[in-house]
Amino acid sequence: MGRPAALSRERIISAAVVLAARAGVDQLTVRALGDELGCDPTALYRHFRNMEELHRAVGDHFLADVDVAPRPRESWRTAVRRLCRELRQAQLRQPRLAVFVRSAPTRLQNEVAITEALLRELAKGGFRAPAAARAYHALIEFTVGSATIDAALASQPVATREATYRTWRSDYAALPADEFPAIAAVASHLYQGSADRRFDDALDALLAGLESRRR
Amino acid sequence: MGRPAALSRERIISAAVVLAARAGVDQLTVRALGDELGCDPTALYRHFRNMEELHRAVGDHFLADVDVAPRPRESWRTAVRRLCRELRQAQLRQPRLAVFVRSAPTRLQNEVAITEALLRELAKGGFRAPAAARAYHALIEFTVGSATIDAALASQPVATREATYRTWRSDYAALPADEFPAIAAVASHLYQGSADRRFDDALDALLAGLESRRR
DNA sequence: CGCAGTTTGTCAACGGTGTTGACATCACGA
DNA sequence: TCGTGATGTCAACACCGTTGACAAACTGCG
């Protein structure tokens, strides 16, 4: 009953995704969304309580890319590593939107599914409740935090990104060796290779550490 | 020459620090700062080009708090842990800046000092050049990334923050146990305690993992 | 001394934001 | 057929950062 809905949460969310991808996250305002949808801006408030709720929904939207289905032949460690990698890739794929899952868990469908999958695998790996919670916090903070940092560069063309890394390396290499001996000794290895590779390395180390304090 | 200055960058920055501590970062507006300083809000624009520059200045103000001096009696592990903790705290005190991902080619002096200190301690801990670089990347990505995530909440008043954590926990606890068994088993431990504590736990795990792959 | 120049603070105003409450419109169930 | 409730529109509010014109207060110079 009631007036037939021209809008819906889904239509609004996809319009928000399009708009943010085209004009940037800063332009994701209630008025710009109204323009994009061809309706009055305040109509959105019939579908979302406020802007923050919409932001959470948009953030959750692109978490749908993470495949959370259990894979019987997969070890818990491989599964956790894969889940974190896919979560990272989902965030890097939409760098301008990654900002919305940054500061708070959305506690929406897809985010909950990822949480369940991670905790499921940790339980399979023998983590008791408190240790599982600690490991979950560590993995999520690291994965999402690192993605937040890398997103800005990941959205650049490869050439630009490589140039940036080269600049960083040479900046460190240019520092006076007598004043910064430790940097001088390592400079050529800093920001070498891809950010994904560095993420994998760090994730492996973190997993090893978590595994050693499983209980 | 000119009218005698009642304001100064320093006065404004410390007023901003007080205001943000009392009312939260969201209340760090040009008008609220004017009230705090007892002057017209737009007077601030005589000392800062815009609000972002003020935020950066507030950030730099706190970044100086990280003590990078070597402490002879301190083990490399303790030192690394302390450096990361202090870096985190400095970032949490500058939430607006922590959220703002800078890939500026000109590294700040304090940033370089922190890098040198971390690499110095890692070298002391027996990390060869490539492993030291990997460990540094992991520690920085985790520390800064995690701080970026936590900054928004850390800047809120304690009561607000606790209420938020309670909401998160109860949201997870309210999920149907048959559909999300792994969450149900762990829900009461999720987002328990302080974010600082969770950071410490994760940092310890990461350090343990890094130590085990020191070469 | 008086005038010019410079710095600094004040004021009004602009365009932007999220949000609210009153109103109009339309479809469905009683 | 007639409400009733859902939906969209509209005007308005309070807030935000920022700007340009103006006033005040000091220094340096003639």
Side-chain angles (χ1 to χ4, degrees):
Chain A
M1 50 187 157
R3 183 175 176 169
L7 263 44
S8 68
R9 288 178 73 99
E10 287 68 30
R11 267 203 68 204
I12 295 173
I13 290 174
S14 49
V17 170
V18 168
L19 182 61
R22 189 179 66 232
V25 129
D26 297 339
Q27 294 308 307
L28 202 51
T29 70
V30 65
R31 285 173 178 81
L33 263 174
D35 281 355
E36 183 78 20
L37 288 160
C39 70
D40 190 273
T42 61
L44 305 184
Y45 288 91
R46 299 290 175 196
H47 301 268
F48 294 94
R49 187 131 52 99
N50 52 32
M51 216 49 182
E52 194 214 324
E53 189 183 302
L54 190 150
H55 287 158
R56 291 197 314 173
V58 171
D60 195 66
H61 174 82
F62 66 88
L63 292 184
D65 290 346
V66 179
D67 178 15
V68 297
R71 303 184 181 181
R73 330 178 72 93
E74 200 177 44
S75 78
W76 73 272
R77 228 188 129 133
T78 309
V80 167
R81 197 184 294 123
R82 182 178 55 77
L83 285 166
C84 289
R85 279 177 175 161
E86 287 188 18
L87 174 55
R88 170 183 168 85
Q89 292 309 321
Q91 300 222 38
L92 294 189
R93 224 172 283 130
Q94 293 284 351
R96 326 190 81 151
L97 297 183
V99 72
F100 290 137
V101 273
R102 175 193 59 202
S103 46
T106 62
R107 289 162 289 137
L108 297 179
Q109 188 186 335
N110 292 315
E111 199 263 348
V112 168
I114 294 171
T115 300
E116 171 70 16
L118 275 173
L119 290 175
R120 177 192 71 215
E121 297 299 330
L122 289 172
K124 208 163 81 181
F127 285 79
R128 302 280 177 87
R134 281 199 300 272
Y136 167 78
H137 292 141
L139 290 166
I140 282 294
E141 286 259 323
F142 172 66
T143 302
V144 177
S146 147
T148 304
I149 296 177
D150 293 343
L153 267 179
S155 64
Q156 304 286 333
V158 180
T160 310
R161 200 186 323 155
E162 291 304 321
T164 303
Y165 286 148
R166 264 198 305 278
T167 305
W168 290 3
R169 274 201 303 277
S170 67
D171 275 3
Y172 280 120
L175 293 171
D178 53 344
E179 201 175 344
F180 303 102
I183 291 181
V186 184
S188 66
H189 294 90
L190 287 178
Y191 297 101
Q192 196 72 260
S194 72
D196 285 344
R197 176 59 192 275
R198 291 195 290 277
F199 171 78
D200 284 346
D201 284 345
L203 181 59
D204 279 349
L206 180 58
L207 266 172
L210 290 172
E211 197 173 357
S212 74
R213 34 193 76 195
R214 216 180 305 196
R215 53 183 56 246
Chain B
M1 48 188 160
R3 184 175 174 168
L7 263 45
S8 66
R9 288 178 73 98
E10 286 68 30
R11 268 202 67 203
I12 295 174
I13 290 175
S14 49
V17 170
V18 168
L19 183 60
R22 189 179 66 233
V25 135
D26 296 340
Q27 294 307 309
L28 201 52
T29 69
V30 65
R31 285 174 177 80
L33 263 173
D35 281 355
E36 184 78 20
L37 288 160
C39 70
D40 190 274
T42 61
L44 305 184
Y45 288 91
R46 299 288 176 198
H47 302 267
F48 295 93
R49 187 131 54 97
N50 52 31
M51 218 48 180
E52 192 209 323
E53 188 184 303
L54 191 150
H55 290 153
R56 282 173 183 270
V58 172
D60 286 346
H61 175 262
F62 283 120
L63 201 65
D65 289 348
V66 180
D67 178 16
V68 297
R71 302 183 182 182
R73 331 178 72 94
E74 200 177 44
S75 78
W76 72 271
R77 228 188 128 136
T78 309
V80 166
R81 197 185 294 125
R82 182 179 54 77
L83 285 165
C84 289
R85 277 177 177 163
E86 287 187 18
L87 174 55
R88 169 184 168 85
Q89 293 307 323
Q91 297 245 346
L92 292 189
R93 277 188 223 111
Q94 49 163 356
R96 284 280 170 86
L97 188 63
V99 163
F100 190 67
V101 180
R102 284 179 309 177
S103 43
T106 53
R107 320 287 288 174
L108 289 173
Q109 193 64 28
N110 281 323
E111 230 175 312
V112 171
I114 293 170
T115 300
E116 171 70 16
L118 274 173
L119 290 174
R120 178 193 69 216
E121 296 300 329
L122 288 172
K124 207 162 82 180
F127 285 79
R128 304 281 176 87
R134 280 198 301 271
Y136 168 76
H137 293 142
L139 289 167
I140 282 294
E141 287 260 322
F142 173 65
T143 302
V144 177
S146 148
T148 303
I149 296 176
D150 293 342
L153 264 180
S155 65
Q156 301 292 328
V158 180
T160 310
R161 199 187 324 154
E162 291 302 321
T164 303
Y165 285 147
R166 265 198 304 278
T167 305
W168 292 2
R169 273 201 305 276
S170 68
D171 277 4
Y172 281 120
L175 293 171
D178 52 344
E179 201 175 345
F180 303 100
I183 291 180
V186 183
S188 67
H189 295 89
L190 287 179
Y191 297 101
Q192 194 72 260
S194 71
D196 286 343
R197 175 60 193 273
R198 292 195 289 278
F199 172 78
D200 284 347
D201 283 346
L203 181 59
D204 278 349
L206 179 57
L207 267 171
L210 290 171
E211 197 173 357
S212 73
R213 32 193 79 195
R214 213 181 306 197
R215 51 184 57 250

